[in-house]
Amino acid sequence: MTLNTSRSRRPTIYDVAKSAGVSPSLVSLVLQNPSKVSQKRREAVRTAMAELGYRPSRAATTLASSQTKSIGLVIDDFRNLWFVDLLRGMESALSPHGYQVTLADSRPGENRITEAADGLLSMHVAGLVIAAEPSESMMAGTWVPAVVAGWRDGVPAGADLITNDDDGGGRLAAEHLLGLGHTRIGHVSGSGGAAAHRREGFRSRVVEAGVEVRIAGESQGTSEEDGYVAACWLLEHFPDTTALFAANDAMALGALAAVKTRGLSVPADISVIGYDNSQLAKSRYLDLTSVDNRSDVVGVEVANTLLARIQDPTLEPKRQLIEPLLVIRGTTAHISG
């Protein structure tokens, strides 16, 4: 076999992985601890190495054999304010133990997320936090301790999961608005695991109260613009709406704009409640009532769980929900009239 790669540059671990049909992390594992890899995959990797003329770096192998004091964090959207509090909580728990967090951002899609995780693993992190949609193949190629943070559509069996109780948060928002006398409540929702749990919590509580379920945007995004579009739809189709619950604070900002374009005021005509208790909600200008999902606490528990698994990889998989809190501000009020 003739390969131009060998003539133009030195083959890398990524070239080996592509040739063998495996992940770069699995190639690294074959180099570090081959007994943990099946014979079939070991042979595929070693055959690819021979064909490519790959020679592992002694310096890299030495580095891989020693545990670093770095924790890898994979996220899927750096614009999401949820990650800010998650990272702050993680760092507060990891710093006293001498660990630092290395961040990798990825766009949606299994390959993108897997590539981000592989990049962190190539840096020999001591553990991995997946705050994105994981896949079975990605987790199978991850030999360091790993914890999934936040609701995901598919959490691999055996993986630790630390997340917000978003079902409870959705119920909390509905309970607050019902308690203020609102019975014509709209929900501005979006796609994704967290939004789905918040939506179901909201839905279950309003159904219990015998109130009509009004939801828009559940298959769309969760940006400010998505919130504006969904709120406009609700107010057009249900003009008697007296309260709006948004799946996050950015969407609530869009909902506030939609209310304003109709010449209505908040909270005199319509109450608005958000979710995340982000800096947007806390601003004096917005003064937004919001459900605090306590993502900093999620970050602390994620870090503690990962540290425990680094010490004892045989621990049973952990599932933990962090209870939300309601922060009442100036955008919600008793129904007028």
Side-chain angles (χ1 to χ4, degrees):
M1 179 182 293
T2 301
L3 294 173
N4 292 330
T5 299
S6 62
R7 295 182 178 181
S8 61
R9 63 176 175 81
R10 180 176 178 175
T12 68
I13 194 173
Y14 294 95
D15 297 320
V16 175
K18 183 176 181 179
S19 178
V22 300
S23 68
S25 59
L26 186 67
V27 176
S28 184
L29 186 57
V30 169
L31 293 171
Q32 297 173 48
N33 199 341
S35 63
K36 290 188 176 182
V37 183
S38 68
Q39 181 179 352
K40 181 179 179 180
R41 287 189 168 185
R42 284 202 310 269
E43 291 176 353
V45 170
R46 285 169 177 165
T47 297
M49 287 179 180
E51 291 177 345
L52 292 169
Y54 174 78
R55 296 292 181 270
S57 165
R58 288 187 178 182
T61 303
T62 300
L63 178 60
S65 65
S66 61
Q67 186 184 78
T68 66
K69 300 293 282 186
S70 179
I71 299 297
L73 170 61
V74 180
I75 66 174
D76 55 14
D77 187 355
F78 67 88
R79 297 168 299 180
N80 190 331
L81 297 175
W82 182 80
F83 294 119
V84 176
D85 289 336
L86 176 75
L87 180 59
R88 186 174 72 247
M90 285 179 56
E91 290 183 329
S92 71
L94 292 171
S95 293
H97 298 277
Y99 285 92
Q100 296 180 330
V101 178
T102 301
L103 182 66
D105 177 48
S106 67
R107 284 174 282 177
E110 178 178 337
N111 290 338
R112 295 288 187 181
I113 295 171
T114 300
E115 288 170 6
D118 286 338
L120 290 170
L121 290 170
S122 70
M123 298 169 67
H124 314 289
V125 294
L128 202 59
V129 176
I130 309 296
E133 197 63 48
S135 66
E136 290 289 351
S137 61
M138 181 183 73
M139 297 301 286
T142 301
W143 70 93
V144 300
V147 177
V148 177
W151 287 116
R152 308 297 162 193
D153 290 335
V155 178
D160 293 301
L161 172 65
I162 312 297
T163 187
N164 318 94
D165 181 5
D166 288 311
D167 292 84
R171 291 182 62 88
L172 198 61
E175 185 70 39
H176 174 60
L177 294 174
L178 290 167
L180 293 174
H182 296 280
T183 56
R184 299 185 296 276
I185 307 169
H187 178 35
V188 178
S189 188
S191 59
H197 281 275
R198 294 168 190 181
R199 181 169 62 248
E200 289 311 305
F202 167 82
R203 187 198 306 272
S204 66
R205 182 64 190 91
V206 296
V207 167
E208 287 175 8
V211 171
E212 179 184 10
V213 177
R214 301 176 175 183
I215 299 176
E218 54 191 303
S219 63
Q220 304 303 310
T222 56
S223 68
E224 177 184 342
E225 180 63 20
D226 294 316
Y228 175 79
V229 172
C232 284
W233 186 92
L234 279 170
L235 294 175
E236 179 181 349
H237 288 79
F238 302 97
D240 62 340
T241 297
T242 64
L244 290 172
F245 163 46
N248 62 35
D249 290 341
M251 296 190 82
L253 188 60
L256 288 169
V259 171
K260 183 179 179 180
T261 61
R262 298 184 72 88
L264 302 173
S265 63
V266 175
D269 299 311
I270 296 183
S271 287
V272 176
I273 179 172
Y275 205 112
D276 288 340
N277 195 34
S278 65
Q279 290 302 316
L280 282 175
K282 298 173 185 176
S283 71
R284 293 182 183 276
Y285 180 74
L286 290 182
D287 196 32
L288 178 67
T289 296
S290 184
V291 177
D292 187 344
N293 57 8
R294 303 171 70 207
S295 292
D296 57 332
V297 179
V298 173
V300 170
E301 292 304 317
V302 162
N304 288 336
T305 299
L306 191 58
L307 290 173
R309 189 159 293 283
I310 289 172
Q311 293 298 317
D312 183 2
T314 66
L315 291 172
E316 288 296 316
K318 181 178 181 179
R319 296 288 188 275
Q320 184 174 358
L321 296 179
I322 304 302
E323 183 180 359
L325 300 171
L326 177 66
V327 181
I328 301 173
R329 296 191 177 94
T331 57
T332 54
H334 284 86
I335 188 169
S336 59

